[in-house]
Amino acid sequence: MDVEAALEKFHSMKLAEIIPPTTMMPIVTADSDLLSVLKVLRARHHVWVVKDRESMELVGVIRYLDVIDILLPPESHRFKLGMTSKSLKSLLGGAAKAEDVADRHPLTIEEDATVLDALNKMRRYKAQVLAVVEGEKLVGEVSLRILIDEFLRLLRVGGAQWRE
């Protein structure tokens, strides 16, 4: 299999075939305290927030860079007109649970979408990770790292060689 054939096969793969199990994903429930969230974010670039483990209904995402807003005092976010929504995401501004600081509009993609669909969405929104959903339910995630790993696996399995 040459690289072109491997890419063609890769692009047509369904996300359901390559997403890791949710047990391998960084997930907290909406009522998780922020210290638990920070502990996850020490080792991960994001954490998914779900309503509860039974429904797995996606509430939002907290990204590594969001930690800055969590740790800053509320007055660091003020504009002349008063408080901003970011000031409410500060520990000192009253944020206590994961749902208080989560971005409520995470980028999602359906599990029957293809790798090509995911790559196009990532490029369009300059995102490195997408929540894979079935309706409102979080069923997985797809990241650039996962896509790179899968492409390299395909090349090894197919014996493809890079040509200069």
Side-chain angles (χ1 to χ4, degrees):
M1 178 188 308
D2 63 9
V3 173
E4 193 174 319
L7 267 173
E8 194 173 310
K9 179 176 178 164
F10 178 62
H11 288 159
S12 65
M13 293 177 81
K14 297 287 186 193
L15 295 179
E17 298 173 46
I18 64 167
I19 57 175
T22 54
T23 54
M24 303 283 290
M25 293 170 46
I27 297 172
V28 296
T29 56
D31 63 354
S32 295
D33 66 273
L34 287 183
L35 293 181
S36 300
V37 171
L38 291 175
K39 286 175 184 172
V40 174
L41 289 172
R42 281 193 308 195
R44 301 298 295 257
H45 289 282
H46 65 280
V47 59
W48 302 110
V49 181
V50 296
K51 183 177 174 184
D52 53 63
R53 296 262 178 199
E54 293 72 45
S55 72
M56 290 298 282
E57 181 183 325
L58 183 60
V59 170
V61 64
I62 304 169
R63 291 175 199 83
Y64 187 64
L65 285 173
D66 295 336
V67 172
I68 296 168
D69 293 327
I70 294 169
L71 296 177
L72 277 171
E75 55 272 14
S76 300
H77 302 291
R78 285 195 181 128
F79 288 133
K80 290 181 181 162
L81 299 175
M83 303 293 274
T84 66
S85 63
K86 285 193 177 205
S87 65
L88 302 175
K89 293 188 176 197
S90 162
L91 270 169
L92 291 174
K97 300 191 178 321
E99 64 186 341
D100 298 337
V101 298
D103 174 351
R104 299 295 186 125
H105 305 285
L107 289 173
T108 63
I109 193 162
E110 294 286 328
E111 67 177 338
D112 63 348
T114 64
V115 165
L116 185 59
D117 296 330
L119 286 168
N120 280 323
K121 190 162 199 171
M122 288 172 161
R123 184 179 65 186
R124 186 175 328 119
Y125 295 102
K126 295 182 177 21
Q128 298 175 21
V129 65
L130 303 172
V132 180
V133 295
E134 190 180 273
E136 301 293 313
K137 181 181 180 182
L138 179 67
V139 296
E141 69 181 358
V142 61
S143 66
L144 285 177
R145 185 189 51 76
I146 291 166
L147 294 176
I148 291 166
D149 286 349
E150 186 59 28
F151 183 63
L152 292 174
R153 188 193 67 75
L154 253 183
L155 288 177
R156 280 194 302 276
V157 169
Q161 298 291 315
W162 290 109
R163 287 192 218 96
E164 299 285 330

